[in-house]
């Protein structure tokens, strides 16, 4: 059955669908731009992701994360509309956010807004994690609240991904040995950071931040949890990083503690191990090189 036939039955805000256009950029779910008439009898545009029925929990976690990020009111986040299950699909609906090529000052604004968000959500509460496990891509991301950031990263981030890699057959003895050394020395590797805790987007690769109207940054597709703000830069740095003006603007608002670039390599490794588990052995050598780099930086 076509999406325009079944979606309005589940989403009261959608009165009529006039067009459905495919949207690129994702590799896990199907994404479309839907135009039609809302329940207020006005033209409206929505963003809709669909997947198999067993993906419903993933979408529920995404909706939860979007609402959490919107709560600070600092960064433009799409308004979640609905999530649910049809006979053969799970789905997530948000309001559409139009995107455009980055403006000259986009990354300056992005860095400033991200820092302001981290400040606005910052607490001295030592509980890291989230009220539910969620997903990093299609991988379960454990978020059991923990009073120790070192233990949280060692067990629920790096340790979890290493266990999956061994279970999936993607780890060799070298990677297993080096990552275990990282886990054993995590206290030293993460020393020097700020002790405050912020709400993190959790998956800030270039496909999850958009330049929208007036050069504003908008964030989509989160994997939220509360933790050390430096962890946010792991995914940013994995695929080419942002230009210097992004980091300069961030530090104008919220200066990073000395040694942050060294510590960020631990979070880069977390995302690399996740890619190893999602996409296979093509990421093994990059995981090995990054793990060795982390150990050299001790």
């Amino acid at each position: 059955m076509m999406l325009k036939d079944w979606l309005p039955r589940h989403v009261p805000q959608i009165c009529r669908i006039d067009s459905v256009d495919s949207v690129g950029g994702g590799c896990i779910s199907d994404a479309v731009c839907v135009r039609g008439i809302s329940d207020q009898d006005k033209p409206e545009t929505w963003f809709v992701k669909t997947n198999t029925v067993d993906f419903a929990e993933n979408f529920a976690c995404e909706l939860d994360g979007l609402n959490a990020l919107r709560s600070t009111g600092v960064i433009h986040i799409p308004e979640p509309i609905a999530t649910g299950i049809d006979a053969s699909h799970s789905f997530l609906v948000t309001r559409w956010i139009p995107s455009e090529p980055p403006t000259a000052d986009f990354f300056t604004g992005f860095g400033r807004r991200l820092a302001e968000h981290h400040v606005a959500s910052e607490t001295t509460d030592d509980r890291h994690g989230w009220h539910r496990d969620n997903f990093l891509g299609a991988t379960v991301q454990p978020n059991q609240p923990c009073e120790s950031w070192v233990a949280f990263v060692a067990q629920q981030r790096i340790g979890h991904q290493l266990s999956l890699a061994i279970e999936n057959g993607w780890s060799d003895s070298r990677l297993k040995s080096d990552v275990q050394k990282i886990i054993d020395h995590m206290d030293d590797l993460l020393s020097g950071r700020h002790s405050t805790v912020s709400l993190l987007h959790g998956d800030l690769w270039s496909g999850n931040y958009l330049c929208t109207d007036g050069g504003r940054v908008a964030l989509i597709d989160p994997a939220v949890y509360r933790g050390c703000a430096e962890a946010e830069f792991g995914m940013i740095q994995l695929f080419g990083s942002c230009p210097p003006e992004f980091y300069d603007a961030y530090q104008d608002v919220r200066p990073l503690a000395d040694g942050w670039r060294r510590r960020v390599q631990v979070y880069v490794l977390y995302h690399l191990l996740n890619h190893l588990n999602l996409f296979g052995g093509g990421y093994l050598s990059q995981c090995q090189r990054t793990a060795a780099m982390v150990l050299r930086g001790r």
Side-chain angles (χ1 to χ4, degrees):
M1 186 180 295
M2 301 290 288
L3 180 144
K4 67 179 182 180
D5 296 321
W6 60 262
L7 189 61
R9 295 203 311 267
H10 298 280
V11 186
Q13 294 90 334
I14 300 177
C15 183
R16 187 184 78 221
I17 293 178
D18 295 327
S19 67
V20 178
D21 299 302
S22 180
V23 177
C27 59
I28 296 174
S29 298
D30 294 324
V32 294
C33 174
V34 173
R35 293 179 174 86
I37 302 298
S38 74
D39 60 342
Q40 302 299 311
D41 200 30
K42 295 179 180 179
E44 183 62 88
T45 307
W46 301 274
F47 177 71
V48 180
K49 291 202 292 190
T50 59
N51 209 305
T52 57
V53 169
D54 59 5
F55 207 76
E57 179 65 13
N58 193 303
F59 286 148
C61 289
E62 184 174 344
L63 183 144
D64 175 57
L66 291 171
N67 279 325
L69 292 171
R70 283 172 60 85
S71 69
T72 67
V74 174
I75 299 182
H76 190 30
I77 308 293
E79 178 187 352
I81 302 298
T83 184
I85 298 174
D86 178 60
S88 57
H89 301 87
S90 60
F91 62 87
L92 170 70
V93 182
T94 70
R95 294 204 185 277
W96 175 259
I97 294 183
S99 62
E100 57 188 46
T103 57
D105 60 353
F106 168 74
F107 283 101
T108 297
F110 179 16
R112 184 178 301 117
R113 291 291 176 268
L114 184 62
E116 289 171 350
H117 165 77
H118 286 160
V119 170
S121 64
E122 193 171 79
T123 70
T124 55
D125 181 357
D126 287 337
R127 292 181 70 79
H128 309 86
W130 195 234
H131 63 89
R132 68 195 295 177
D133 293 345
N134 51 24
F135 297 85
L136 185 61
T139 306
V140 173
Q141 179 171 259
N143 289 314
Q144 182 66 36
C146 182
E147 293 185 0
S148 165
W149 177 243
V150 168
F152 181 80
V153 175
Q155 297 164 13
Q156 299 189 57
R157 292 297 180 259
I158 302 298
H160 173 66
Q161 292 289 345
L162 177 61
S163 295
L164 289 178
I166 294 170
E167 180 181 331
N168 294 334
W170 296 122
S171 177
D172 64 0
S173 59
R174 171 186 165 189
L175 182 65
K176 180 180 178 181
S177 174
D178 283 355
V179 173
Q180 188 58 56
K181 290 176 186 175
I182 289 169
I183 292 170
D184 293 341
H185 293 89
M186 194 67 74
D187 197 18
D188 291 337
L189 290 168
L190 296 183
S191 64
R193 69 194 181 280
H194 292 313
S195 60
T196 52
V197 177
S198 296
L199 177 65
L200 309 185
H201 175 282
D203 193 13
L204 274 182
W205 70 288
S206 59
N208 286 345
Y209 55 82
L210 310 175
C211 178
T212 185
D213 57 294
R216 286 193 303 167
V217 62
L219 305 184
I220 61 173
D221 202 11
V224 303
Y225 62 100
R226 297 191 62 80
C228 177
E230 291 178 350
E232 203 84 277
F233 300 106
M235 193 61 170
I236 291 175
Q237 294 208 4
L238 178 55
F239 293 116
S241 193
C242 290
E245 57 264 31
F246 166 83
Y247 298 98
D248 292 343
Y250 184 96
Q251 298 217 69
D252 283 345
V253 175
R254 187 183 183 280
L256 294 162
D258 290 346
W260 71 271
R261 292 186 183 276
R262 167 183 57 80
R263 292 187 295 273
V264 162
Q265 291 306 309
V266 174
Y267 312 122
V268 171
L269 178 63
Y270 170 59
H271 289 284
L272 272 175
L273 289 169
N274 185 54
H275 277 67
L276 177 66
N277 284 310
L278 285 174
F279 306 115
Y283 281 93
L284 177 59
S285 61
Q286 195 173 358
C287 287
Q288 291 171 331
R289 290 195 300 273
T290 303
M293 183 189 309
V294 170
L295 290 174
R296 287 197 299 271
R298 283 174 48 201

